[in-house]
């Protein structure tokens, strides 16, 4: 199934189901008026959602207007972002002469969750001097996860998979990191592609808790990178288990993979400017690629026709 949220003037929007070709939709109806509620009562809502999906594929849908779509979860209880691609961290350490992080556990921080941006709205930032950057990631949305859930049982709690742009402010980030506490100012609201998909909808592309597909990024129409999500050192089952070690996770928790990054970055490119700048520093001794400016456009998608998640296509703006 492919689920989306249509703007209806409320904080959580209206849950809809979307056809495989992305052309038509049907409202989920009274059984699941919005996605957060559906996640909190998934077992009860699932038969009705599956029935609506079947009617949709039988041709009973109405045309989908992409301009009405918000993030699948416009707000939720918790956003936990990992850093599961080792190449990204290794490049940062080499370029900026940073010591390796001595841990055998996944890296993860808790970010802003009361707002997720729609896939096409302009994104306002306070200042270009803050080092505006994008980060292409995959994410999972869970049902309720009990405290202490082991990794070998964690994938049973994955309800949906999403595509995320984790916006970052690179000038602020190192200042906050030096405090030893988490990011606040360096991590504004994320953007999410319009369609959240069930694991079975990915078919063979969902393997071992990983989205085994290339995530393509373009900036102002120019290709930036297409690294594959299969290179995670920790799968989503391991990230879920890490997050739930000492606390339960509520239904609607979103867990991110961190910046998608591959060892053959010279061929497949990158999904964030900071990584490309690190590569430039290592190769040439200086940064060449600037961070984003007002008016720049960033597009992210998976697959040639954005068939799985739809696309994130947004313009950078300055807050007024």
């Amino acid at each position: 199934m492919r689920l989306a949220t249509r703007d209806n003037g409320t904080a959580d929007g209206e849950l809809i189901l979307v056809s495989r070709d992305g052309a038509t939709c049907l409202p989920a109806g009274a059984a699941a008026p919005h996605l957060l509620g559906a996640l909190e009562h998934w077992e009860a809502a699932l038969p009705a959602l599956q029935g609506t999906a079947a009617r949709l594929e039988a041709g009973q849908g109405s045309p989908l207007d992409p301009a009405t779509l918000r993030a699948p979860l416009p707000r939720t209880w918790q956003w936990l972002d990992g850093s599961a691609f080792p190449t990204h961290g290794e490049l940062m350490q080499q370029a900026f002469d940073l010591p390796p992080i001595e841990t055998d556990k996944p890296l993860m921080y808790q970010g802003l969750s009361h707002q997720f941006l729609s896939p096409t709205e302009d994104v306002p930032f306070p200042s270009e001097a803050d080092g505006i950057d994008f980060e292409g990631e995959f994410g999972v949305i869970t049902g309720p996860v009990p405290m202490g859930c082991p990794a070998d049982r964690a994938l049973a709690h994955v309800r949906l998979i999403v595509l995320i742009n984790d916006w970052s402010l690179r000038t602020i980030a190192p200042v906050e990191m030096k405090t030893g506490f988490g990011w606040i100012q360096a991590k504004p609201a994320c953007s999410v592609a319009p369609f959240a998909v069930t694991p079975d909808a990915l078919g063979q592309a969902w393997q071992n808790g990983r989205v085994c597909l290339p995530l393509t990024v373009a900036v102002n129409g120019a290709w930036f990178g297409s690294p594959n999500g299969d290179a995670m050192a920790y799968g989503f089952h391991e990230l879920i288990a890490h997050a739930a070690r000492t606390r339960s996770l509520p239904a609607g928790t979103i867990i991110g993979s961190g910046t998608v990054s591959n060892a053959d970055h010279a061929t497949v490119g990158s999904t964030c400017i900071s990584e490309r700048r690190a590569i430039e520093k290592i190769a040439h001794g200086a940064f060449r690629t600037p961070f984003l400016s007002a008016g720049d456009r960033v597009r992210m998608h998976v697959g040639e026709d954005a068939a799985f998640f739809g696309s994130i296509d947004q313009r950078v703006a300055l807050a007024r």
Side-chain angles (χ1 to χ4, degrees), residues 220-232:
N220 296 325
W223 178 84
F224 199 90
S226 298
N228 200 296
D230 61 3
M232 294 171 72

Side-chain angles (χ1 to χ4, degrees), residues 202-217:
L202 291 182
Q204 291 302 306
W206 177 244
Q207 296 184 34
N208 196 27
R210 293 160 171 84
V211 180
C212 302
L213 293 166
L215 193 168
T216 297
V217 180

Side-chain angles (χ1 to χ4, degrees), residues 130 168-178 183 186-187:
D130 290 336
S168 298
L169 300 176
R170 299 299 188 184
T171 303
I172 298 173
V175 178
E176 290 193 311
M177 289 175 69
K178 288 179 181 178
W183 285 306
K187 289 292 186 178

Side-chain angles (χ1 to χ4, degrees), residues 186-268:
K187 289 292 186 178
C190 298
S191 303
V192 187
F195 308 140
V197 303
T198 50
D200 63 284
L202 291 182
Q204 291 302 306
W206 177 244
Q207 296 184 34
N208 196 27
R210 293 160 171 84
V211 180
C212 302
L213 293 166
L215 193 168
T216 297
V217 180
V219 180
N220 296 325
W223 178 84
F224 199 90
S226 298
N228 200 296
D230 61 3
M232 294 171 72
Y234 297 96
F236 278 110
H237 53 305
E238 293 162 305
L239 295 182
I240 293 169
H242 175 76
R245 180 176 178 269
T246 60
R247 56 176 168 172
S248 63
L249 307 179
T253 294
I254 305 177
I255 297 181
S257 66
T259 306
V260 178
S261 178
N262 291 175
D264 57 340
H265 48 77
T267 301
V268 302

Side-chain angles (χ1 to χ4, degrees), residues 1-69:
M1 291 187 297
R2 302 171 79 192
L3 305 179
T5 292
R6 184 162 56 189
D7 187 19
N8 66 352
T10 67
D12 296 302
E14 177 192 25
L15 180 61
I16 61 174
L17 286 93
V18 179
S19 61
R20 292 190 183 96
D21 62 6
T24 59
C25 65
L26 280 172
H34 54 76
L35 182 53
L36 187 56
L39 290 163
E40 292 174 329
H41 305 282
W42 188 253
E43 287 74 17
L46 188 58
L49 293 175
Q50 292 172 329
T52 301
R55 290 193 291 113
L56 183 60
E57 296 305 328
Q60 297 183 32
S62 56
L64 175 68
D65 180 1
T68 65
L69 298 182

